[in-house]
Amino acid sequence: MPPILELSVLESAVAAPSPPAPETACSLPLNFFDVFCLNSPPVERVFFYRLTPGTGDDITTILSNLKSSLSKALGVFYPLADRLRLTPGTDDRYELHYQPGDGVTFTVAEYDGDVDELAEDETRREVAKILPLVPPLQVGVGPVLTVQATVLRGGRGLAVSLALHHAACDGASSTRFLHTWAAAAGTGTGAPPATVMDRTLVDDPSGGRPLYKLRSTDEMEYVKMADDQLVATFTLSKEDVQRVKDAVGAAAGARPPRCTSLVATFGFIWLSYQRAKDDAASNGGETYFSCPIDQRSRMKPDPIPDEYFGNCVGAAMQAAPKNQLAAAGSDGLLAACTAVAAAIERAVRELGSPEKMALWVERIREARASGGGVLSVAESPRFRVYDVDFGFGRPAKVEIVSVARTGAMAVAESRQSSGGMEVGMSLPPAGMQRFQTCFHEAIKWLHQQ
């Protein structure tokens, strides 16, 4: 295994909300959706940017602007400066609590890594070389956000990264924060409207109580990350996505599943992932797929605003027989996309029923206990992560490093083609080799139809 590069920390400071958080909103209780994420590992994102030294990309100015604009963004998203704690007087309720002086740790570092190598796509990269770019975040109670800006080799690149406790907010809220931060830096697409913090907008079937206790760091890892764990990105063009839809429609006949671009992408990756699995039970039993569904517009009796801050994500989950996914040709695609579409439809249908919503946790437990495996989804192409421009250009690459711990696929819009999708996968070397082979064989088959 190649030696791990050295990270040198240059500065560690605290970025406080500016203006300060209102004293009347110093505590924000967690609701059912937030509590649902108490056990989730922190979400770790790294944005890689290419810089051109000597042509206006002055690193000192960039770093100073990143820190000051972070404070401005926290002025809008002040709960991200909070700390997660047990609600005083209780032993089973949690809240985000802010007191004057709280803020987000902002670390500046240098790293002898080359931006071109670290931002490669399907070239397999060692997770161990990327992890130093991610700021540490204490598991469980404590701060909910840490940020790091790392100057890469020769000043030719910059990595802006964050680790976020999932109980604080979902991907929709966290990426709105990122776009707000970019806008505050002077070049974003425009600051979004003020955030909505009103927790009473969400009907809470749990009464604010957790459905499980916080666990240790080791227990929170959904998969055991190998020392030589790899990460790689796989792209489906807009035309490839349409080919999947066409193949599913032809195989289904008169009653095809609702195969959106997301369903087509999820089904195709799930199919490739399952075919690549190297276990004796690959052809027997069931395996599971799970993806998050933003429920803001679907809440009943009234939808809640897109600007609602927190978690408002439902868990869509469905099983499929392993041998059906392994079937050759379009039959495997049909099985995968049918199951994905059914998972989404059920999650949407169950919203508004506290009894059925409360079953989400139990379903996840059962799926993980079944031994059949669960492939889950992180992020969404709707988040527009490649529009996060702090003033020195669009990201060369956005990496969701935490998929190495969760085993999820990380989904984003494609940088290569409008309407395409890119998917980040993290696997040990042998598993990555098999997945690459299965992915390319499936792409080749699509192009031959």
Side-chain angles (χ1 to χ4, degrees), residues 15-351:
S18 178
E23 294 184 6
T24 55
C26 62
S27 291
L28 199 63
L30 300 192
N31 63 25
F32 168 75
F33 289 107
D34 304 318
V35 168
F36 189 75
C37 299
L38 273 176
N39 281 9
S40 299
V43 179
E44 299 167 333
R45 281 194 182 101
V46 182
F47 291 75
F48 290 100
Y49 296 90
R50 290 189 175 90
L51 304 179
T52 308
T55 60
D57 288 337
D58 178 72
I59 195 63
T60 302
T61 302
I62 285 174
L63 293 172
S64 176
N65 189 39
L66 280 175
K67 182 181 175 183
S68 60
S69 57
L70 173 60
S71 289
K72 293 177 182 177
L74 290 171
V76 180
F77 289 82
Y78 56 84
L80 292 178
D82 291 0
R83 299 174 69 86
L84 177 65
R85 71 173 189 177
L86 272 170
T87 302
T90 76
D91 62 2
D92 64 353
R93 295 181 186 232
Y94 291 85
E95 66 181 13
L96 300 178
H97 178 73
Y98 175 84
Q99 60 185 16
D102 283 347
V104 171
T105 299
F106 179 77
T107 301
V108 176
E110 288 182 338
Y111 188 61
D112 189 29
D114 183 78
V115 65
D116 291 332
E117 294 176 2
L118 293 169
E120 283 281 356
D121 265 1
E122 199 172 327
T123 300
R124 297 179 291 174
R125 290 153 291 131
E126 297 94 342
V127 173
K129 286 188 176 181
I130 302 174
L131 278 176
L133 303 174
V134 179
L137 182 66
Q138 176 183 323
V139 173
V141 296
V144 297
L145 174 66
T146 56
V147 176
Q148 181 172 312
T150 308
V151 182
L152 301 175
R153 183 185 300 167
R156 295 179 54 250
L158 182 70
V160 179
S161 56
L162 63 157
L164 175 67
H165 199 308
H166 210 323
C169 65
D170 57 21
S173 287
S174 64
T175 48
R176 286 189 71 254
F177 160 71
L178 284 163
H179 287 289
T180 300
W181 184 10
T187 58
T189 55
T195 52
V196 176
M197 307 289 182
D198 186 1
R199 287 296 195 263
T200 65
L201 294 174
V202 177
D203 184 32
D204 189 347
S206 72
R209 291 183 170 83
L211 302 177
Y212 34 63
K213 296 288 186 181
L214 287 174
R215 298 175 292 179
S216 68
T217 304
D218 288 340
E219 289 175 320
M220 285 182 70
E221 289 194 270
Y222 290 177
V223 295
K224 200 66 179 175
M225 186 169 62
D227 292 338
D228 55 356
Q229 189 89 358
L230 301 175
V231 65
T233 301
F234 301 85
T235 300
L236 287 125
S237 67
K238 181 180 180 179
E239 292 73 24
D240 288 335
V241 173
Q242 185 59 51
R243 290 184 180 104
V244 174
K245 294 180 183 180
D246 292 343
V248 169
R255 301 185 65 181
R258 186 171 182 268
C259 194
T260 65
S261 293
L262 272 179
V263 170
T265 300
F266 294 163
F268 186 86
I269 296 297
W270 189 21
L271 176 98
S272 302
Y273 175 80
Q274 187 58 36
R275 288 177 176 175
K277 291 194 72 173
D278 183 26
D279 62 77
S282 290
N283 293 320
E286 292 185 321
T287 186
Y288 292 80
F289 175 85
S290 175
C291 67
I293 304 294
D294 190 335
Q295 305 283 25
R296 287 168 175 79
S297 64
R298 302 180 174 98
M299 292 299 290
K300 299 174 182 178
D302 299 307
I304 64 175
D306 290 342
E307 296 77 24
Y308 173 80
F309 176 84
N311 286 281
C312 193
V313 174
M317 176 168 282
Q318 187 72 22
K322 293 180 181 180
N323 58 359
Q324 289 187 13
L325 296 185
S330 57
D331 289 343
L333 269 180
L334 176 60
C337 291
T338 298
V340 171
I344 295 172
E345 289 169 5
R346 182 169 70 170
V348 171
R349 186 172 62 250
E350 290 180 345
L351 186 64

Side-chain angles (χ1 to χ4, degrees), residues 47 175 179 189 380-388 413:
F47 291 75
T175 48
H179 287 289
T189 55
S380 166
R382 299 186 180 96
F383 295 162
R384 301 182 296 105
V385 292
Y386 285 103
D387 288 343
V388 178
E413 72 276 20

